[in-house]
Amino acid sequence: LINGYLEKLKERVSDSIYLSAYAQPKTNLKNGSEYKIKPEDETVWTITDVTLYGDHYLLSFIIENEKGIQLNLPVADENKWFYSSEKVDEYKQLYGGFYKNILKKTVKIGMPKEALEIAWGKPDKINRSSYGSDQWVYNGQYVYIENGKVKSWN
């Protein structure tokens, strides 16, 4: 049963992905060294396997980049930390250079509000203004949106 599920998952996943900023360094499975994921490198990773990994048997993707660095990433993190190459191409087409901010989960002045939502998610609250900028609240941080674009943030 589990093997059948793993085989179906292998067929479903895209073979090329881009990583976002991962919260903590990962261990290179080939040599045991620590590797810090940096999305600004725009490294393309290939999913080479889907497996149950570690002492807790987490369902994980085994990924490798062109430099031969091999990491495991829990499948549960799929939508949080990485994007398919197709999705990145779509973001490039829709948002131009702001696609990098989506990958890095950062904000930039002029960024479309839709790109902000992809990068940071839906705001906790939106304070509407009858004039000027709307204020989007994210866990105590404020992003000001005017005419559909980021005007400023703190």
Side-chain angles (χ1 to χ4, degrees):
L1 181 66
I2 291 173
N3 283 338
Y5 175 73
L6 289 176
E7 290 306 315
K8 288 203 178 285
L9 187 59
K10 285 178 191 179
E11 291 171 11
R12 181 186 71 83
V13 296
S14 163
D15 61 349
S16 296
I17 60 173
Y18 290 81
L19 291 174
S20 178
Y22 203 78
Q24 55 190 312
K26 301 295 285 175
T27 302
N28 183 348
L29 300 177
K30 287 193 173 179
N31 64 16
S33 66
E34 192 174 85
Y35 183 77
K36 178 79 171 149
I37 296 169
K38 298 178 237 167
E40 61 270 13
D41 294 343
E42 293 189 45
T43 301
V44 177
W45 296 79
T46 301
I47 298 172
T48 59
D49 200 3
V50 180
T51 187
L52 297 174
Y53 185 82
D55 295 339
H56 300 289
Y57 302 104
L58 294 174
L59 185 60
S60 297
F61 292 124
I62 304 299
I63 61 172
E64 188 168 341
N65 68 10
E66 66 274 2
K67 297 176 186 171
I69 296 169
Q70 193 176 68
L71 309 173
N72 84 317
L73 290 178
V75 170
D77 289 351
E78 178 178 7
N79 293 322
K80 186 175 182 181
W81 298 114
F82 55 93
Y83 303 91
S84 69
S85 56
E86 294 85 12
K87 191 54 84 173
V88 171
D89 289 342
E90 178 185 329
Y91 293 157
K92 284 179 183 178
Q93 184 177 24
L94 290 172
Y95 307 115
F98 293 110
Y99 83 94
K100 292 180 181 181
N101 298 94
I102 293 171
L103 296 182
K104 295 179 198 178
K105 300 191 181 300
T106 59
V107 178
K108 187 173 183 180
I109 292 175
M111 181 180 201
K113 67 181 183 181
E114 297 82 5
L116 171 64
E117 276 195 78
I118 296 167
W120 279 17
K122 294 213 177 282
D124 301 328
K125 183 178 179 184
I126 297 177
N127 297 318
R128 302 264 181 219
S129 173
S130 57
Y131 64 93
S133 305
D134 288 342
Q135 182 186 62
W136 289 22
V137 181
Y138 288 95
N139 195 28
Q141 289 190 298
Y142 301 97
V143 180
Y144 298 90
I145 305 293
E146 194 170 288
N147 299 321
K149 297 187 186 284
V150 173
K151 180 179 178 183
S152 64
W153 79 95
N154 68 355

